[in-house]
């Protein structure tokens, strides 16, 4: 056994989260793609079967009341809230991340008020955020200004209405300074909108603490909700009575069953709802989130292990991979790192294909990036050592 393998064994033995791994359906594959799709929590299949066979199959329409289907978007939102540093009553679950970005960004421009006609967007953002920002700008009559996160403070002014930023860069894993950037946006009198897709469930966010106005995120990455599981929308409590969603639907009406021709928004985060909730995937997500409660997992412990895993992975890469063969594009500083490591490699697509063939699953981002995501709930140090060792073999 190599020194690094022996060290991995000791680190796993001392890991306070090691027991959580048993709450997931895993095999002998090293799964480092939880930043794209989380592993299946073991409690989900039984819950989904109950939802389908009993709640839908037997209770049918009665389940909207008797099984709590109608209140699921807010109830599950309250389960997510502690993981992103929010008090209850500010998160509603439903729709996709893209739809929620649209609701949040147009809502932000409306909150900003008259005289503000510019939307600032992260120029390095995940493509769909950029597409939606462009559409939102056209819809609201705003000018779109793409800048890098580092350029945001200098780009703000009295015309800025809203700023849309990613907490963690999906390519490089760079963690942006949410507190400082939110403060800068507020100092300019604008509204801050954050995309938490690559941070929620992997590291502390502090939405309430840092005064974030609006935030969105997916649930199928570090929250392990399943493929296409519904996203969520956070609306800060002090803004809820003024939040004007561009997608008003019967589910967000003050009297949803009144069937009135005139729209009157519901109170609170409920006004972020649109249409009928996607119950099957929503309740699968609810079951997945129970892992956090069952094992009493703290987001602080998750963050500590995430950094330890990525530190150890980088050490193993340095040891096993020939010098100069790959280059890390993920910041070394903990304060600037999310829960993934991205390695630049000229033949990254072919390398990842060969890694997967040998039981190490990460992913490839065009044109030359290998991405490895670390989900501390089920990834261990032995997994990390094996992944780096196999990478070294593959690239030689």
């Amino acid at each position: 056994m190599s020194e690094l393998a022996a060290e991995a064994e000791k680190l796993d033995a001392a890991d306070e989260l090691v027991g959580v791994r048993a709450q997931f359906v895993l095999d002998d594959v090293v799964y480092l793609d939880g930043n794209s799709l989380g592993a299946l929590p073991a409690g989900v299949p039984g819950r989904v079967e109950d939802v389908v066979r009993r709640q839908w199959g037997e209770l049918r329409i009665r389940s909207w009341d008797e099984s709590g289907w109608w209140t699921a978007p807010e109830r599950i939102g309250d389960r997510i809230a502690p993981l992103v540093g929010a008090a209850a009553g500010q998160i509603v679950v439903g729709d996709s991340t893209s739809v929620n970005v649209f609701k949040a960004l147009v809502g932000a421009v409306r909150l900003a008020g008259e005289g503000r006609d510019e939307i600032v967007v992260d120029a390095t953002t995940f493509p769909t955020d950029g597409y939606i920002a462009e559409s939102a700008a056209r819809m609201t009559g705003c000018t779109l200004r793409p800048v890098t996160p580092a350029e945001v403070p200098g780009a703000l002014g009295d015309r800025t209405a809203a700023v849309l930023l990613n907490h963690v860069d999906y390519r490089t894993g760079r963690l942006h300074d949410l507190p400082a950037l939110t403060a800068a946006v507020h100092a300019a009198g604008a509204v801050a909108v954050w995309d938490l897709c690559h941070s929620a469930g992997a590291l502390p966010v502090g939405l309430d603490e840092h005064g974030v106005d609006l935030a969105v995120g997916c649930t199928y990455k570090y929250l392990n909700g399943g493929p296409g599981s519904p996203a969520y929308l956070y609306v800060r409590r002090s803004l809820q009575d003024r939040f004007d969603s561009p997608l008003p639907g019967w589910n967000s009406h003050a009297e949803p069953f009144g069937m009135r021709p005139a729209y009157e928004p519901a109170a609170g985060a409920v006004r972020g709802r649109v249409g009928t909730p996607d119950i099957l995937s929503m309740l699968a997500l609810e079951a997945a989130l129970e892992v956090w409660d069952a094992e009493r997992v703290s987001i602080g412990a998750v963050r500590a292990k995430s950094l330890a895993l990525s530190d150890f992975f980088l050490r193993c890469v340095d040891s096993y991979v020939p010098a100069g063969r790959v280059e890390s594009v993920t910041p070394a500083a903990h304060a600037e790192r999310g829960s993934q490591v991205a390695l630049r490699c000229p033949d990254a697509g072919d390398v990842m294909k060969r890694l997967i063939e040998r039981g190490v699953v990460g992913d490839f981002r065009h044109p030359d990036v290998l991405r490895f995501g670390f989900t501390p709930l089920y990834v261990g140090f032995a997994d990390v050592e094996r992944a780096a060792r196999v990478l070294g073999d593959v690239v030689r």
Side-chain angles (χ1 to χ4, degrees):
M1 180 183 293
S2 71
E3 289 185 11
L4 286 170
E7 183 178 351
E9 197 172 85
K10 291 178 181 178
L11 289 168
D12 280 331
D15 176 19
E16 66 175 289
L17 298 179
V18 69
V20 186
R21 185 182 177 101
Q23 299 291 325
F24 290 86
V25 177
L26 300 168
D27 50 26
D28 62 352
V29 166
V30 175
Y31 189 65
L32 300 181
D33 208 7
N35 53 325
S36 288
L37 176 65
L40 172 66
V44 170
R47 179 66 57 81
V48 170
E49 182 176 12
D50 178 70
V51 172
V52 172
R53 292 189 181 278
R54 183 182 64 85
Q55 297 181 27
W56 179 16
E58 298 175 17
L59 296 178
R60 293 178 286 272
I61 196 71
R62 292 161 52 195
S63 274
W64 284 106
D65 289 324
E66 295 180 27
S67 301
W69 288 1
W70 184 259
T71 57
E74 295 77 51
R75 181 179 72 245
I76 301 171
D78 285 346
R79 298 289 289 270
I80 293 172
L83 304 180
V84 292
Q90 299 175 99
I91 293 178
V92 64
V93 174
D95 306 311
S96 67
T97 305
S98 300
V99 171
N100 281 305
V101 169
F102 179 75
K103 287 187 281 188
L105 197 51
V106 174
V109 173
R110 292 173 175 177
L111 284 167
E114 296 294 327
R116 292 183 176 269
D117 59 359
E118 185 174 85
I119 295 173
V120 174
V121 65
D122 180 352
T124 63
T125 188
F126 188 76
T128 196
D129 285 17
Y131 306 154
I132 289 170
E134 183 179 2
S135 178
R138 291 199 307 270
M139 180 178 179
T140 57
C142 287
T143 300
L144 186 66
R145 187 173 183 185
V147 300
T148 66
E151 295 170 329
V152 165
L156 301 171
D158 56 12
R159 290 182 53 194
T160 309
V163 181
L164 172 62
L165 294 167
N166 281 261
H167 197 190
V168 175
D169 186 289
Y170 81 101
R171 290 188 191 87
T172 66
R174 176 179 288 277
L175 173 65
H176 297 304
D177 192 340
L178 181 146
L181 288 169
T182 299
V185 172
H186 287 165
V191 179
V193 182
W194 284 90
D195 182 330
L196 309 178
C197 284
H198 287 269
S199 59
L203 53 92
V205 178
L207 292 179
D208 287 354
E209 177 186 358
H210 303 302
V212 169
D213 300 307
L214 302 162
V216 303
C218 67
T219 61
Y220 47 77
K221 300 182 191 297
Y222 297 109
L223 297 179
N224 309 297
S229 57
Y232 56 90
L233 170 68
Y234 164 90
V235 183
R236 181 157 54 88
R237 194 180 310 280
S238 62
L239 298 176
Q240 289 176 1
D241 62 346
R242 295 193 293 120
F243 178 69
D244 182 9
S245 173
L247 294 175
W250 77 283
N251 259 235
S252 63
H253 197 286
E255 295 184 66
F257 293 98
M259 303 302 164
R260 304 184 185 283
Y263 180 73
E264 179 185 346
V270 175
R271 64 177 58 192
R273 291 173 65 156
V274 183
T276 306
D278 41 352
I279 290 299
L280 297 183
S281 59
M282 190 169 290
L283 296 187
L285 165 64
E286 184 172 35
L289 292 170
E290 289 176 2
V291 169
W292 295 83
D293 297 335
E295 298 294 331
R296 298 183 180 178
V297 179
S298 76
I299 198 68
V302 167
R303 176 58 168 168
K305 183 178 175 183
S306 165
L307 291 171
L309 285 169
S310 52
D311 279 344
F312 187 60
F313 179 70
L314 288 168
R315 281 179 51 209
C316 290
V317 168
D318 284 343
S319 178
Y320 292 137
V321 177
R325 187 64 174 84
V326 300
E327 173 196 2
S328 176
V329 295
T330 300
H334 285 181
E336 299 174 4
R337 188 194 309 167
S339 198
Q340 74 178 50
V341 170
L343 302 176
R344 182 165 286 130
C345 177
D347 51 345
D350 182 57
V351 167
M352 184 53 69
K353 180 180 178 181
R354 285 154 53 198
L355 283 172
I356 292 170
E357 289 171 351
R358 294 187 55 176
V360 175
V361 178
D363 69 15
F364 159 66
R365 283 293 177 266
H366 184 80
D368 59 357
V369 172
L370 301 167
R371 290 197 321 170
F372 300 95
F374 303 96
T375 304
L377 299 184
Y378 55 78
V379 172
F381 292 91
D383 295 323
V384 164
E385 187 274 336
R386 176 181 161 193
R389 180 162 31 87
V390 173
L391 175 61
D393 291 343
V394 164
V395 298
R396 288 184 190 279

